[in-house]
Each structure stands twice: as C-alpha cells, then as structure tokens.
Amino acid sequence: MKRYITLRYVFQRRISKRELDTGMFSLAHALPRISTEQLSDRAVSELKSDPQIQLVVPAMPVRLITPVPADTLSLTANWGIKAVRADKSVYDGAGVCVAILDTGIDSDHPAFAGMTLVQKDFSEHGNGDRNGHGTHCAGTIFGRNDGGRRIGIARGVERALIAKVLGDDGAGQSEMIFQALTWAMEEHADIISLSLGFDFPGMISRLVADGWPLNMATSTALEAYGGNLRMFDAIMAVFKAQAAFGTSPLVIAAAGNESRRDIKPEFRVAASLPAAAADVLSVAAVGRHDGKYAVADFSNIQALLAAPGVDITSAWPGGGLRTISGTSMACPHVTGVAALWWQFLRQSGIKPTARNVASRLISNARKNVFIPNTDESDVGQGLVTAP
C-alpha cells in the first residue's frame, strides 16, 4: 500500500456522461478537488479507469528551498527594493491579494501591523511560523518599515492568504501544495508565491534507507515526480481556464538552490518543480557585483526572471530581522513587483490577469544590469522591474 493523491473536478454546471467519457468539457466550470489515501496497485488501476477521476499520482515529499545564511545581519534596508526600482514606483500593491505557500507567518511581527492575514494550516503543525522562512518571504513581499528600514516591496497589500504547507521542520507532502493552491484560488488570490521544491533526491534517500535498491528507488521517485508534474500542470490548466471569471492567480516560484558554481562553473542544475511547471513564473537569484548584478553561485538555471536573492534582510519570528540568501529570497521580490504591476493595470483601466501581469514582468525586465558575459540561462529575461 502506497500513499496516492487523486484529482477530480467538481463542476459548476451539469456535465453529461458523454462529456466525462470523452473529456470534452470546459475547465472554466471546474473546481479541482484533491484527496489522499493509502491504495493498493489494484485500487489505483480501478481509480484510473473511473471517468470522474482525472489523475492518480504517488505522493512525494516537498521541502523549503533551504536559504544560505549570511555572515552578519545587514544594517541597511533591503537593497533589493532599490535594485528592482520599487523605491521609485508610485504603486504599493493596494487592493491586491497575495497568497504565500510556505512555513506560515509570525502574524504579531510589527512588519505586518494592520494587515488582514487569513491563515490556513495544511501541515498539521498548526498556524504560525516556528521556522522563519515564511515570515522572511512575507516581509519581502509586503512588510512595513522596521525601525526606519524598508524591507517590503508592496507595502500597500492589506489582505494576504497564508497557507502553511511546510511543517516547522521545513518539510511537507505534495498533496499539501495542491490543496493549498486550490484553496488560494477559491479565496480569490491574485498572486501565489512558492519558495519551495519537490524533494526528488530526498525521496530516493528515504526509499534507500527503507531498504529499496538504488535503481528501484530512483525509478519510483521518477514515477512520483512525473505524476506530480502532471498534477501541477492540471491545476494550472484550471487556473488558466477560469481567467474569464477573474479567478486565475499568477503563480511565481523559486528556481532552487542546488547549483554549485563556487565549485565549478559547469555545476548548474535546472529549475525543478514547482518552478518547472507550465505557466509558472520561475525566479533565479542574483547578488551585487562591482556596481552591477551577477547570478548567485547556488541559483538554478532556466528560470524566466531574475531578482535580488543574496544578503536579503527581512522579517523574522519574534519581531526582529534576519539576513539570508537564496532563490527563496528572490521569488518574493518578483511577487511584490507583480503586485505593483497588478495595481498599475487596474488603475490604468485594464483588467489584470495572470497572463497580462506576467507579460509586463517579462517585457519590462532589464538585461543591461548584469556583469559582462552573463548567460541568459542563468538570469532568464532579465532583472524584474517595478512600474
């Protein structure tokens, strides 16, 4: 018996048996429903033959993208705010709803004073943040000033959805992500931020520790990874189909920290789930270098955009600040800037959607800010830039 995730659709209009049997129905009328259970191989086969079940995939572990610690706390404001030109923008993200899928949030931190934080725990560890990662990401997106230091990009965001999908140890399961994505859509999130990764190497290690031969463990983990990719793509397809109803959030994800350019320049790893899923804006991390910006040694390749991710100062549980690095720190910069563009379009009389906000982010990204010989595979379309 293994743990499996099933996806079925709940339709907002009557769907005929012929539509179900042929798959000829519109996802614009569908709400995804995720469930998990222990299943035998026979039960899995039976579920896959049920026309009301869209997908049955093995569950797999997920984890936060572990940040790289800084040597000391930076005593200056978050330098990334100036780098993405949010300091010059007249927009502050007012009226935009942001969802963060992470380790929770310290809702009592002064950086979030006056905000409406809607929390939901998917991890079974309880609301709140005993890890710090989620609070740090939230601070970069919409944190208010702290002691005269600006840490947040979109300080006008008043309502945020906080889905705790990773436990206090930074670990979780993939069904938590899928359930939180559908919750965020139903709660009318405009933007969803994901600084986490599907743990393919960790799954192999756990299976080997349980006595599986390495080749079988790798094959099983590949099956789970492929299935979870299809699941993520299926949920993104629902998001895309429902754009006409104004319930299509823009999903932004960190590319990952597995590259090791500090050892050898060729030691670069491609972005993985969820950054590798269809219609997700993936984010690489850059740092400061001789008046320009350079890709971080740890940042994975093939991301669509780049953002500040080295020595980023933001909120930390307990009311203080902490300086850390990672694509986890770059992703919130893009999320914050996306909130500014969302507000810009709305105030310009244009209906903001995931598609046209993503287009603005890509078309306004800058490439002339990087050190010479920067590879496009390292920084994508360029450094994200505020309106």
Side-chain angles (χ1 to χ4, degrees), residues 200-201 203-205 207-208 212-226:
F200 175 72
M203 186 173 185
I204 295 175
S205 298
L207 289 169
V208 170
W212 287 59
L214 178 58
N215 59 341
M216 291 184 66
T218 303
S219 178
T220 299
L222 276 172
E223 176 196 3
Y225 184 88

Side-chain angles (χ1 to χ4, degrees), residues 101-275:
L101 278 57
D102 212 289
T103 62
I105 193 169
D106 176 6
S107 58
D108 294 328
H109 197 291
F112 313 122
M115 292 190 65
T116 299
L117 301 174
V118 182
Q119 301 185 62
K120 188 172 178 64
D121 176 37
F122 295 89
S123 70
E124 300 181 355
H125 281 223
N127 285 325
D129 184 12
R130 270 78 63 184
N131 180 285
H133 193 268
T135 298
H136 196 279
C137 290
T140 299
I141 297 171
F142 47 65
R144 280 51 175 160
N145 289 9
D146 187 286
R149 288 173 290 197
R150 180 174 175 181
I151 60 172
I153 300 286
R155 296 173 294 173
V157 170
E158 297 174 347
R159 180 175 182 264
L161 306 173
I162 309 298
K164 184 166 181 174
V165 296
L166 300 171
D168 299 331
D169 58 355
Q173 292 291 318
S174 53
E175 69 266 21
M176 300 172 186
I177 309 300
F178 301 135
Q179 291 166 347
L181 284 169
T182 59
W183 173 73
M185 180 190 71
E186 292 170 12
E187 289 290 325
H188 305 291
D190 296 314
I191 305 163
I192 299 175
S193 186
L194 293 155
S195 288
L196 48 82
F198 284 58
D199 194 5
F200 175 72
M203 186 173 185
I204 295 175
S205 298
R206 293 181 196 182
L207 289 169
V208 170
D210 288 340
W212 287 59
L214 178 58
N215 59 341
M216 291 184 66
T218 303
S219 178
T220 299
L222 276 172
E223 176 196 3
Y225 184 88
N228 280 264
L229 175 57
R230 290 194 300 275
M231 182 73 76
F232 208 105
D233 285 344
I235 293 174
M236 291 300 297
V238 174
F239 284 7
K240 191 174 182 179
Q242 297 199 359
F245 301 102
T247 55
S248 177
L250 172 63
V251 180
I252 302 169
N257 297 349
E258 288 78 31
S259 294
R260 293 292 178 267
R261 293 177 186 81
D262 54 331
I263 299 174
K264 194 174 182 180
E266 292 79 14
F267 286 0
R268 302 185 300 167
V269 178
S272 60
L273 272 178

